[in-house]
Amino acid sequence: MKAQSCHTPGESNLAQTPTESALGLDYSCPMHPEILQATPGDCPKCGMALEAVLPSINANEGVELQRMTKKLWVGAALSLPLLVLSMGEMVGISLDGLVSKTSQLWLQFTLASPVVLWAGAPFFIRGWRSIRSGQLNMFTLISIGVSAAYGYSLIALFKPSLFPDAMISEDGHVPVYFEAGAVIIALVLMGQVLELRARNSTSSALQSLLALAPPNARLITEDSSEQDIPLSDVIVGMQLRVRPGEKVPVDGTVLKGQSNVDESMVSGEPIPVTKTPGDMILGGTMNGNGSLVMQADRVGNDTLLSRIIRMVSEAQRSRADVQKLADKVAGVFVPFVLLTSAATIAIWLAYGPEPKISNALVNAVAVLIIACPCALGLATPMSIMVATGRGAMHGILYRDADAIEALGKVEILLVDKTGTLTQGKPQLLSIEPQPDIHPDHILQLAASLEKASEHPLGEAIVKAADEQKLKLSAVVDFESITGLGIKGTVSGHKIQIGNLHYLESSGVKMPDNNPNGANLRSSGQTVVYTAIDGTYAGLLGIGDPIRSTSKEAIDLLKQDGVEVIMLTGDHKSTAEAIAFQLGIEKVYADVRPEDKNRIVMEIQAQNKVVAMAGDGINDAPALARANVGIAMGTGTDIAMESASLTLVKGDLRAIYTARRLSRATMRNIRQNLGFAFGYNLLGVPIAAGILYPWFGILLSPIVAAFAMSLSSVSVILNALRLHYANLEFTK
């Protein structure tokens, strides 16, 4: 096996495009995600075949499945006649009159050897590696059990004289168990094939995302000619044409044209979005009937599609805290089974009926086979893989399994207002000028001054002036007073814009009625005061429209037992007005970024499980501090990197959906662990022969192998039920 890569868990090598084969350069164990290699191989801990960290639609992802399927067909084809030879008399089929007993034994040897030595070779290799490394696992038990049955049968066939007379039958032969070794291998292969197929189905979410990116992009060159180039050759700043019906190659900005773009494959929103110059456009989305010219802003690893693929893959390979219990049990389980098997031999040799050696061997092998902990190892990873894939299809991206586990336990949700509850796009909603001043005059002067500012409220004022087609003037002596306002000279007039304290402290002459904008704040607007040449001129009311889905999301979460608290840097009266419209009862206003982090810590100190939802850079510390950080996919990169859960559409209703999926997943994991633990607690004593003294019941290795495979299949099928979990909103 190649040496382990220097990559740490969670890292991945994304190529310039998610469709390139470089996506599959790193391989990881599905049960032990900390194991990472640069090449395919087997996990040194559990022996499972390593899987590509990120699949590639250009690579043959089914090599292991094809190999195991071929071995299964050969094993089954040879094991069936072997069963007829060895156990035919039990169902009324006897070959004694056609083939001598000696020939039958040699025929069993001939049929069993390819199954055990060729089809079962991967299991012996993995078992030997587990013993050498000290990482005992399911393949340790399988290889020891099959080796005991097959090795015993070889000695009985070639050297029967080594056995006591009590074990030699009337025809001079010692009983053999070639069929046990072969059928065990065939049944284990069946379990492996079913598991590999299930894993392939759980990667369908990633495969569908990989297929979104087109292989080429259409470059507009400097001489205005056009040519197709590989997607991997696209660099930031290039101008690209997206023709009708084509997929958008990378993230960027529309420069020319207008079209309706279907973003459902990324955001889940079924209604196409109209794109015009200046709008953001996402790689992997489908262009409608119009032709667009775009500028490439994000390529390769930086596109939203690549980040989604990376987050889904990392989440699928992560482990929930609940897995720690399974890990602790598995750590002592295999040695315990080996000791139990040895004790079974000792007890049967001491107290069992004749033939003692044969009975001791059969029961010891049955213990080894039925106790294989594959179901225990599959219990959590299978559910996590299915859940993260299902979440991705709903625009819900879990960073890791811990987020899945914690989200269902959340008691309090802290929500940033701007960009989370609201659209994050402030608009000028009101102008209240003094009686002798025209509203357009205030807007023209304010917009001219704000054009030199970078404040988002200023952008709303400038945008409103542009919509009114007002001609803006040049600014002289511009100055920004942090946290208060701005000032400068426009068209010979000294203009000041800011809060009331700024104007009053600057000596601005206020009217007798001293307007405070209370009526605007009560409707959720932020008030900006303006002064012209040292005299108060009027108010500007700026509001951030509430998202159409925010009220429904809050109601759903409250019904689900979550207390929702709003955080905002806005004035208290403005914040309370927004909260009243949304049905939020508790508000923290005038908070700074460090305040949000402190509030999270204070609530956690009350032993509450806290989630924080936000979209901006200022939310990042609180997102990282919360038990579950929830970032809006429409927000900043830093917010998404700090969060443990991302909502691609920025729709808060998805939190409710994610909670339903989280609870369904944890319930599914507990069911799987119950199957695995219960199966072993029941199966091992029966295999050891505990029922024999009272009922004369013994469990053959073949039945034990079938039961072991059935336990794994039950866990896989139960995990796949998450594909059909009901995640719909309930009114």
Side-chain angles (χ1 to χ4, degrees):
M1 188 188 303
K2 299 288 185 181
Q4 292 187 20
S5 166
C6 62
H7 295 128
T8 57
E11 291 183 342
S12 57
N13 280 341
L14 280 175
Q16 286 297 308
T17 164
T19 61
E20 290 185 348
S21 60
L23 282 172
L25 284 178
D26 289 342
Y27 292 83
S28 175
C29 174
M31 293 187 185
H32 300 91
E34 69 275 13
I35 301 298
L36 282 169
Q37 287 186 187
T39 57
D42 296 330
C43 174
K45 288 189 175 181
C46 68
M48 296 291 292
L50 300 181
E51 298 176 357
V53 169
L54 290 174
S56 167
I57 59 176
N58 292 334
N60 184 357
E61 297 293 340
V63 173
E64 180 70 4
L65 176 58
Q66 292 175 9
R67 182 169 73 110
M68 287 296 183
T69 302
K70 181 179 180 181
K71 289 180 178 291
L72 171 60
W73 283 115
V74 172
L78 296 178
S79 296
L80 286 175
L82 183 57
L83 275 175
V84 173
L85 278 171
S86 61
M87 305 178 68
E89 293 181 357
M90 297 176 61
V91 292
I93 301 175
S94 177
L95 301 179
D96 291 346
L98 300 174
V99 183
S100 68
K101 193 66 176 179
T102 301
S103 298
Q104 289 184 40
L105 294 177
W106 282 98
L107 186 55
Q108 288 185 44
F109 164 71
T110 303
L111 291 171
S113 294
V115 179
V116 173
L117 301 179
W118 176 76
F123 306 146
F124 291 111
I125 293 172
R126 295 172 184 177
W128 174 242
R129 286 176 178 168
S130 71
I131 295 173
R132 288 183 59 187
S133 64
Q135 300 284 346
L136 305 182
N137 53 54
M138 60 175 284
F139 296 108
T140 313
L141 303 181
I142 291 172
S143 58
I144 292 176
V146 173
S147 296
Y150 183 75
Y152 165 87
S153 300
L154 284 180
I155 298 173
L157 178 62
F158 287 97
K159 290 289 185 179
S161 59
L162 297 177
F163 292 85
D165 293 340
M167 293 187 64
I168 300 176
S169 62
E170 295 179 358
D171 56 12
H173 298 99
V174 177
V176 296
Y177 297 96
F178 286 118
E179 83 285 353
V183 174
I184 288 169
I185 292 295
L187 289 171
V188 174
L189 283 168
M190 180 184 70
Q192 291 285 290
V193 168
L194 291 174
E195 180 184 334
L196 288 168
R197 286 183 177 176
R199 291 189 187 284
N200 282 357
S201 70
T202 60
S203 67
S204 60
L206 281 178
Q207 291 289 352
S208 61
L209 290 172
L210 286 166
L212 292 179
N216 300 309
R218 190 159 187 83
L219 173 67
I220 301 176
T221 61
E222 293 182 358
D223 61 1
S224 298
S225 62
E226 299 181 10
Q227 65 183 63
D228 288 334
I229 61 172
L231 191 60
S232 57
D233 291 346
V234 176
I235 61 175
V236 173
M238 281 185 171
Q239 290 191 15
L240 309 171
R241 182 175 297 280
V242 186
R243 292 169 291 191
E246 288 185 337
K247 291 179 179 178
V248 178
V250 295
D251 296 357
T253 305
V254 177
L255 300 178
K256 298 178 183 178
Q258 177 175 324
S259 184
N260 293 326
V261 177
D262 181 1
E263 297 183 339
S264 61
M265 60 284 294
V266 173
S267 69
E269 181 61 49
I271 302 175
V273 180
T274 301
K275 298 294 183 179
T276 57
D279 289 339
M280 182 179 69
I281 193 168
L282 299 175
T285 56
M286 181 68 71
N287 186 25
N289 296 326
S291 178
L292 298 174
V293 174
M294 64 173 292
Q295 174 179 290
D297 295 334
R298 293 178 176 176
V299 302
N301 296 351
D302 296 329
T303 66
L304 178 62
L305 179 59
S306 292
R307 288 182 300 183
I308 289 174
I309 293 171
R310 184 164 56 246
M311 289 178 70
V312 173
S313 175
E314 290 173 355
Q316 287 189 340
R317 293 185 296 109
S318 64
R319 295 159 72 82
D321 282 343
V322 70
Q323 180 66 19
K324 292 179 181 178
L325 174 61
D327 290 343
K328 290 179 180 178
V329 173
V332 299
F333 185 70
V334 174
F336 167 76
V337 171
L338 292 174
L339 290 174
T340 302
S341 180
T344 300
I345 292 177
I347 293 171
W348 275 92
L349 288 177
Y351 304 105
E354 294 293 346
K356 291 186 177 183
I357 296 178
S358 179
N359 286 332
L361 174 68
V362 168
N363 287 283
V365 170
V367 168
L368 292 173
I369 299 304
I370 201 170
C372 286
C374 46
L376 191 61
L378 289 171
T380 297
M382 285 300 302
S383 297
I384 295 298
M385 290 179 71
V386 176
T388 51
R390 179 83 190 276
M393 293 296 97
H394 283 75
I396 301 167
L397 306 179
Y398 296 100
R399 177 175 296 279
D400 51 38
D402 285 338
I404 297 177
E405 186 171 4
L407 186 60
K409 303 175 183 177
V410 167
E411 302 166 86
I412 294 178
L413 173 65
L414 302 175
V415 187
D416 176 61
K417 179 183 77 69
T418 304
T420 305
L421 292 169
T422 64
Q423 296 178 9
K425 299 177 181 178
Q427 299 176 11
L428 180 64
L429 302 178
S430 307
I431 301 179
E432 294 187 358
Q434 288 293 85
D436 57 339
I437 301 177
H438 194 278
D440 285 354
H441 184 53
I442 289 184
L443 180 57
Q444 189 268 338
L445 292 175
S448 297
L449 184 60
E450 289 286 6
K451 194 167 185 179
S453 170
E454 296 180 352
H455 197 282
L457 296 183
E459 293 179 6
I461 296 173
V462 173
K463 182 179 179 181
D466 289 341
E467 291 173 350
Q468 296 289 335
K469 301 189 183 308
L470 300 178
K471 185 177 180 180
L472 304 187
S473 304
V475 179
V476 179
D477 299 328
F478 175 84
E479 183 179 351
S480 175
I481 299 89
T482 303
L484 296 175
I486 56 176
K487 64 180 180 179
T489 302
V490 180
S491 300
H493 296 284
K494 181 181 178 182
I495 309 299
Q496 293 170 283
I497 301 176
N499 58 35
L500 184 60
H501 173 72
Y502 169 54
L503 264 63
E504 290 178 337
S505 63
S506 300
V508 172
K509 182 180 179 181
M510 303 296 293
D512 294 336
N513 61 354
N514 195 11
N516 57 22
N519 60 323
L520 299 182
R521 290 196 185 93
S522 65
S523 64
Q525 298 181 39
T526 298
V527 177
V528 176
Y529 297 83
T530 62
I532 302 175
D533 295 326
T535 301
Y536 172 75
L539 300 176
L540 299 176
I542 300 171
D544 186 3
I546 296 173
R547 290 179 184 267
S548 60
T549 58
S550 292
K551 180 66 167 65
E552 182 182 3
I554 299 302
D555 291 343
L556 287 168
L557 290 168
K558 289 169 68 175
Q559 292 172 17
D560 202 34
V562 178
E563 180 185 357
V564 181
I565 301 174
M566 188 174 80
L567 306 180
T568 179
D570 277 349
H571 189 278
K572 182 179 180 181
S573 58
T574 301
E576 289 178 344
I578 297 292
F580 178 77
Q581 296 177 50
L582 292 172
I584 297 176
E585 299 172 358
K586 189 171 184 179
V587 177
Y588 288 92
D590 297 314
V591 299
R592 296 170 295 180
E594 58 270 27
D595 294 329
K596 296 179 181 180
N597 190 45
R598 174 184 53 78
I599 291 169
V600 171
M601 294 175 63
E602 289 176 353
I603 297 176
Q604 287 176 329
Q606 302 170 19
N607 294 319
K608 299 287 187 179
V609 181
V610 182
M612 168 72 193
D615 75 323
I617 293 175
N618 61 335
D619 299 318
L623 291 173
R625 172 71 62 180
N627 299 92
V628 182
I630 304 172
M632 302 295 107
T634 52
T636 63
D637 293 345
I638 292 179
M640 286 186 276
E641 290 298 324
S642 303
S644 49
L645 179 70
T646 297
L647 309 180
V648 175
K649 291 191 296 181
D651 185 346
L652 284 177
R653 292 179 301 178
I655 299 178
Y656 175 80
T657 301
R659 278 173 60 82
R660 288 180 66 91
L661 179 57
S662 295
R663 285 197 288 261
T665 302
M666 298 313 299
R667 185 165 56 247
N668 192 271
I669 289 174
R670 287 191 290 269
Q671 291 168 352
N672 286 345
L673 290 174
F675 288 151
F677 283 129
Y679 158 82
N680 282 302
L681 288 174
L682 182 64
V684 171
I686 294 176
I690 195 171
L691 299 179
Y692 183 80
W694 297 279
F695 305 103
I697 295 176
L698 291 178
L699 199 64
S700 76
I702 294 175
V703 175
F706 179 77
M708 181 268 294
S709 297
L710 188 62
S711 69
S712 298
V713 172
S714 66
V715 166
I716 292 170
L717 293 177
N718 189 55
L720 292 177
R721 288 194 309 110
L722 285 172
H723 279 303
Y724 311 103
N726 180 19
L727 307 179
E728 299 299 323
F729 301 137
T730 55
K731 299 293 185 181

PDB file of all heavy atoms in Angstrom, residues 72 147 188 264 398 419 513 543 545 572 728:
ATOM      1  N   LEU A  72     -18.261 -12.388  -6.860  1.00  0.00           N
ATOM      2  CA  LEU A  72     -19.510 -12.905  -6.311  1.00  0.00           C
ATOM      3  C   LEU A  72     -20.145 -13.924  -7.257  1.00  0.00           C
ATOM      4  O   LEU A  72     -20.591 -14.992  -6.814  1.00  0.00           O
ATOM      5  CB  LEU A  72     -20.486 -11.756  -6.053  1.00  0.00           C
ATOM      6  CG  LEU A  72     -21.920 -12.168  -5.665  1.00  0.00           C
ATOM      7  CD1 LEU A  72     -21.919 -12.995  -4.385  1.00  0.00           C
ATOM      8  CD2 LEU A  72     -22.804 -10.933  -5.513  1.00  0.00           C
ATOM      9  N   SER A 147     -10.318 -19.567   7.240  1.00  0.00           N
ATOM     10  CA  SER A 147      -9.063 -20.337   7.248  1.00  0.00           C
ATOM     11  C   SER A 147      -9.188 -21.575   8.121  1.00  0.00           C
ATOM     12  O   SER A 147      -8.689 -22.657   7.768  1.00  0.00           O
ATOM     13  CB  SER A 147      -7.911 -19.466   7.764  1.00  0.00           C
ATOM     14  OG  SER A 147      -7.675 -18.385   6.899  1.00  0.00           O
ATOM     15  N   VAL A 188     -20.261 -13.091   2.169  1.00  0.00           N
ATOM     16  CA  VAL A 188     -19.556 -11.848   2.477  1.00  0.00           C
ATOM     17  C   VAL A 188     -19.414 -11.002   1.216  1.00  0.00           C
ATOM     18  O   VAL A 188     -19.571  -9.776   1.244  1.00  0.00           O
ATOM     19  CB  VAL A 188     -18.180 -12.136   3.107  1.00  0.00           C
ATOM     20  CG1 VAL A 188     -17.397 -10.836   3.287  1.00  0.00           C
ATOM     21  CG2 VAL A 188     -18.341 -12.832   4.448  1.00  0.00           C
ATOM     22  N   SER A 264     -32.226  26.492 -10.489  1.00  0.00           N
ATOM     23  CA  SER A 264     -32.780  25.460  -9.612  1.00  0.00           C
ATOM     24  C   SER A 264     -31.768  24.378  -9.278  1.00  0.00           C
ATOM     25  O   SER A 264     -31.792  23.809  -8.189  1.00  0.00           O
ATOM     26  CB  SER A 264     -34.010  24.825 -10.262  1.00  0.00           C
ATOM     27  OG  SER A 264     -33.678  24.215 -11.495  1.00  0.00           O
ATOM     28  N   TYR A 398     -24.335  20.673   4.795  1.00  0.00           N
ATOM     29  CA  TYR A 398     -23.728  20.431   6.098  1.00  0.00           C
ATOM     30  C   TYR A 398     -22.213  20.381   5.937  1.00  0.00           C
ATOM     31  O   TYR A 398     -21.701  19.736   5.030  1.00  0.00           O
ATOM     32  CB  TYR A 398     -24.197  19.098   6.678  1.00  0.00           C
ATOM     33  CG  TYR A 398     -25.671  19.002   6.976  1.00  0.00           C
ATOM     34  CD1 TYR A 398     -26.545  18.362   6.105  1.00  0.00           C
ATOM     35  CD2 TYR A 398     -26.199  19.536   8.153  1.00  0.00           C
ATOM     36  CE1 TYR A 398     -27.898  18.258   6.384  1.00  0.00           C
ATOM     37  CE2 TYR A 398     -27.543  19.435   8.447  1.00  0.00           C
ATOM     38  CZ  TYR A 398     -28.389  18.795   7.559  1.00  0.00           C
ATOM     39  OH  TYR A 398     -29.727  18.691   7.842  1.00  0.00           O
ATOM     40  N   GLY A 419     -29.677  41.055   5.533  1.00  0.00           N
ATOM     41  CA  GLY A 419     -29.206  40.015   4.632  1.00  0.00           C
ATOM     42  C   GLY A 419     -29.650  38.620   5.016  1.00  0.00           C
ATOM     43  O   GLY A 419     -29.445  37.680   4.251  1.00  0.00           O
ATOM     44  N   ASN A 513     -39.755  72.369  15.527  1.00  0.00           N
ATOM     45  CA  ASN A 513     -40.393  71.076  15.811  1.00  0.00           C
ATOM     46  C   ASN A 513     -39.381  69.942  15.983  1.00  0.00           C
ATOM     47  O   ASN A 513     -39.719  68.839  16.396  1.00  0.00           O
ATOM     48  CB  ASN A 513     -41.388  70.720  14.711  1.00  0.00           C
ATOM     49  CG  ASN A 513     -40.729  70.592  13.335  1.00  0.00           C
ATOM     50  OD1 ASN A 513     -39.546  70.866  13.173  1.00  0.00           O
ATOM     51  ND2 ASN A 513     -41.517  70.191  12.350  1.00  0.00           N
ATOM     52  N   GLY A 543     -34.895  51.712   4.045  1.00  0.00           N
ATOM     53  CA  GLY A 543     -35.326  50.433   4.600  1.00  0.00           C
ATOM     54  C   GLY A 543     -34.749  49.267   3.828  1.00  0.00           C
ATOM     55  O   GLY A 543     -34.416  49.383   2.641  1.00  0.00           O
ATOM     56  N   PRO A 545     -35.962  45.732   2.710  1.00  0.00           N
ATOM     57  CA  PRO A 545     -37.189  44.926   2.641  1.00  0.00           C
ATOM     58  C   PRO A 545     -37.002  43.545   3.250  1.00  0.00           C
ATOM     59  O   PRO A 545     -35.969  42.890   3.063  1.00  0.00           O
ATOM     60  CB  PRO A 545     -37.469  44.833   1.131  1.00  0.00           C
ATOM     61  CG  PRO A 545     -36.787  46.026   0.552  1.00  0.00           C
ATOM     62  CD  PRO A 545     -35.563  46.237   1.392  1.00  0.00           C
ATOM     63  N   LYS A 572     -32.751  50.792  18.085  1.00  0.00           N
ATOM     64  CA  LYS A 572     -33.681  49.910  18.781  1.00  0.00           C
ATOM     65  C   LYS A 572     -35.097  49.994  18.222  1.00  0.00           C
ATOM     66  O   LYS A 572     -35.764  48.974  18.013  1.00  0.00           O
ATOM     67  CB  LYS A 572     -33.682  50.244  20.277  1.00  0.00           C
ATOM     68  CG  LYS A 572     -34.591  49.329  21.092  1.00  0.00           C
ATOM     69  CD  LYS A 572     -34.541  49.678  22.571  1.00  0.00           C
ATOM     70  CE  LYS A 572     -35.456  48.750  23.374  1.00  0.00           C
ATOM     71  NZ  LYS A 572     -35.435  49.085  24.827  1.00  0.00           N
ATOM     72  N   GLU A 728     -41.173  18.110   4.204  1.00  0.00           N
ATOM     73  CA  GLU A 728     -42.022  19.202   3.740  1.00  0.00           C
ATOM     74  C   GLU A 728     -42.400  20.135   4.887  1.00  0.00           C
ATOM     75  O   GLU A 728     -42.451  19.745   6.059  1.00  0.00           O
ATOM     76  CB  GLU A 728     -43.301  18.643   3.107  1.00  0.00           C
ATOM     77  CG  GLU A 728     -43.034  17.767   1.889  1.00  0.00           C
ATOM     78  CD  GLU A 728     -42.344  18.519   0.777  1.00  0.00           C
ATOM     79  OE1 GLU A 728     -42.665  19.718   0.596  1.00  0.00           O
ATOM     80  OE2 GLU A 728     -41.482  17.939   0.099  1.00  0.00           O
TER      81      GLU A 728
END
